[in-house]
Amino acid sequence: MYAPDFAYYRADSVAEIGRLLRAHPGAKVLAGGHSLIPLLKLRLAAPPALIDIGRVAELKGIAVADGRVRIGALTTHAEIAASSDVARHAPALAAAAGVIGDPAVRNRGTIGGNVAHADPASDLPTVLLALGASFAVATDDGERTIPAGKFFQGMMATALGDHDVVTAIDVPAAPGGQGQAYEKFSHPASRYAVIGVAATVELRGETVGNVAVALGGLVPAAVRTGSVEQALSGRAPSAEAIAGAAAAVSNDLGDDLIGDIYASAEYRRAMAPVCVKRALTAALKQASVADAPAARSPWWKPSWL
Amino acid sequence: MTVPVSITVNGQRYDREVEPRLLLVHFLREVVGSTGTKVGCDTSQCGACTVLMDGVSLKSCTALAVQADGAEVTTIEGLADGDALHPLQDAFWEKHGLQCGFCTPGMIMASHELLRVTPDPSDAQIRHGLEGNMCRCTGYQNIVRAVRQAAGTTAGQP
């Protein structure tokens, strides 16, 4: 398949990205290309020009500072999955990055391109929403920060303006006692998320503290599920409490469920609580390990698991 | 619009003017004339087009030739040293890790990436590492055996 013809410009700096975007109305930004090139080949998009930002060195890399992990927009999924900093401070993000596509896809796809594309069947929007990430964006006027909760606005729709480009993703470092998990029901060929659930759960003694749960693959944009969060927060963790909270996800799915040839909307609706339950269970297990007194063996397992 | 690119393929440099929309796989097959790299699904799922760019695997149906400007690309044709097959090629031959052969170039390049990242893989790691490459003939058993042999590992069952 050939993409429609387009002009091609290469940026060497963030400043030049903005200049090129302003000079070429309708142009799209090319990072790793693993979301954009398939769209072009299927002729679902036909921009007059691409601005290749793949060589802008200042957009690459992972750094930990001020209680957060800052990930440059051009950092690849493989780099995120292999990062000890991400594994330590944002384990659900490391887990999600490691199950995107396949190794060759993870070598090329970037976190910035992924979020700017905002495919609901993608993994990172879901996990970044649950983790309370925010996005640094270069604009005409300088820089602004967009929280994940305001960034994803619909099917492949974001808060980015025509001349905006995501430069970095800031992820808060997990506080002590918090467990994180990403649970994915993969499409067997594409590895896109038929359903993706990201969960963070804090355990304070024998009570569940803050809970954040986000869903992907189910509705047109990654969303938080407040019903699940409220149902579990403040409860004593038990298999029954988890199952009850997971069932509450049906309150938040609405009538706009995604269905396709592989998984119907009805099937996804039925599977959603199953995936939420798995994610909550895994996150609570992580939290209990984080919370476990050092005197206990590393194999200590709470009674409710 | 055409754009000048300089891409080194299997050690030989190609300076060409290309359309920006030219995919790397078509650059390899139609400009360079190396047809070992296949176009399968053309949607970055099947892995038949897998090559190495600067030593790291990518699916060349989902990369533009302009993105490879300045890079060194290795295809299946670049693995053997003259008549001496690469250990992965030897192992796919020995263990009969193919039937029709269409997926094989991509499968071997993906195996190359697997062994780069995981030099001594378990069978589970081999299967996981090759999950982006599809074979409709072999049922994968002999492919796993071939990679295991190439790795020089005795992991898993024979």
Side-chain angles (χ1 to χ4, degrees):
Chain A
M1 293 179 281
Y2 270 81
D5 202 10
F6 51 79
Y8 172 85
Y9 305 96
R10 192 178 287 165
D12 297 321
S13 65
V14 171
E16 196 175 5
I17 299 169
R19 188 181 63 73
L20 286 166
L21 282 170
R22 285 187 291 277
H24 302 284
K28 293 288 285 181
V29 171
L30 174 69
H34 272 52
S35 300
L36 182 57
I37 293 172
L39 278 189
L40 298 174
K41 288 168 68 179
L42 292 167
R43 305 206 170 205
L44 294 171
L50 295 192
I51 314 297
D52 185 353
I53 68 167
R55 295 159 201 255
V56 180
E58 61 193 289
L59 295 181
K60 298 179 185 176
I62 297 169
V64 181
D66 305 328
R68 65 187 188 179
V69 185
R70 170 160 276 218
I71 303 171
L74 284 182
T75 310
T76 65
H77 308 319
E79 289 163 344
I80 293 168
S83 162
S84 55
D85 284 333
V86 178
R88 180 169 173 207
H89 297 296
L93 176 58
V99 295
I100 295 171
D102 57 63
V105 167
R106 294 194 287 273
N107 282 341
R108 294 291 297 167
T110 68
I111 186 170
N114 183 291
V115 298
H117 182 59
D119 188 327
S122 189
D123 300 289
L124 297 186
T126 311
V127 71
L128 292 170
L129 195 58
L131 297 187
S134 58
F135 305 136
V137 175
T139 72
D140 282 339
D141 311 319
E143 265 219 11
R144 65 181 169 134
T145 301
I146 307 176
K150 295 192 171 164
F151 186 86
F152 301 108
Q153 300 189 334
M155 178 79 77
M156 297 180 186
T158 69
L160 292 173
D162 286 346
H163 301 162
D164 293 350
V165 62
V166 176
T167 56
I169 290 82
D170 286 317
V171 185
Q178 186 192 70
Q180 302 186 354
Y182 181 65
E183 180 68 32
K184 178 180 185 180
F185 173 11
S186 294
H187 186 283
S190 70
R191 310 282 169 188
Y192 272 105
V194 176
I195 300 174
V197 181
T200 70
V201 180
E202 286 177 28
L203 200 54
R204 294 181 182 140
E206 285 300 304
T207 306
V208 175
N210 290 326
V211 179
V213 181
L215 310 171
L218 290 163
V219 290
V223 288
R224 290 273 292 269
T225 168
S227 298
V228 173
E229 297 169 357
Q230 285 155 27
L232 188 60
S233 184
R235 297 280 305 272
S238 66
E240 293 72 32
I242 293 171
V249 71
S250 56
N251 299 332
D252 294 345
L253 294 177
D255 300 322
D256 205 11
L257 246 72
I258 294 171
D260 59 28
I261 192 170
Y262 180 72
S264 68
E266 293 77 11
Y267 180 68
R268 283 174 210 242
R269 190 182 294 281
M271 286 299 293
V274 177
C275 294
V276 172
K277 184 173 146 186
R278 288 177 185 164
L280 289 174
T281 304
L284 262 167
K285 189 173 179 182
Q286 291 299 318
S288 65
V289 170
D291 191 50
R296 288 176 178 151
S297 109
W299 309 111
W300 176 76
K301 192 177 168 189
S303 58
W304 44 269
L305 277 176
Chain B
M1 181 184 199
T2 60
V3 176
V5 295
S6 174
I7 303 173
T8 300
V9 179
N10 300 328
Q12 186 170 341
R13 182 170 152 175
Y14 295 85
D15 294 312
R16 297 286 188 276
E17 292 274 336
V18 301
E19 280 189 85
R21 63 176 174 165
L22 182 70
L23 298 172
L24 179 58
V25 67
H26 292 133
F27 181 87
L28 295 171
R29 289 177 57 85
E30 293 160 22
V31 177
V32 175
S34 284
T35 53
T37 305
K38 307 302 183 203
V39 179
C41 71
D42 210 0
T43 54
S44 58
Q45 297 181 53
C46 80
C49 65
T50 307
V51 300
L52 308 181
M53 187 158 97
D54 294 330
V56 174
S57 71
L58 88 165
K59 292 183 166 179
S60 61
C61 80
T62 308
L64 302 171
V66 288
Q67 291 178 291
D69 183 23
E72 294 198 12
V73 175
T74 306
T75 70
I76 188 69
E77 290 95 337
L79 283 189
D81 182 9
D83 288 338
L85 293 180
H86 186 278
L88 272 165
Q89 293 172 305
D90 253 339
F92 270 70
W93 180 320
E94 284 286 324
K95 296 294 178 185
H96 198 56
L98 63 144
Q99 285 183 33
C100 86
F102 191 86
C103 76
T104 311
M107 198 65 81
I108 288 179
M109 301 316 280
S111 300
H112 191 285
E113 173 74 4
L114 165 67
L115 296 181
R116 180 183 73 84
V117 178
T118 316
D120 186 16
S122 66
D123 279 13
Q125 287 173 315
I126 294 171
R127 289 177 185 278
H128 186 62
L130 297 180
E131 69 180 350
N133 291 70
M134 298 191 187
C135 172
R136 299 286 81 152
C137 302
T138 64
Y140 301 97
Q141 303 290 359
N142 287 349
I143 292 173
V144 174
R145 289 183 183 118
V147 175
R148 194 194 305 147
Q149 171 171 309
T153 168
T154 54
Q157 298 302 308

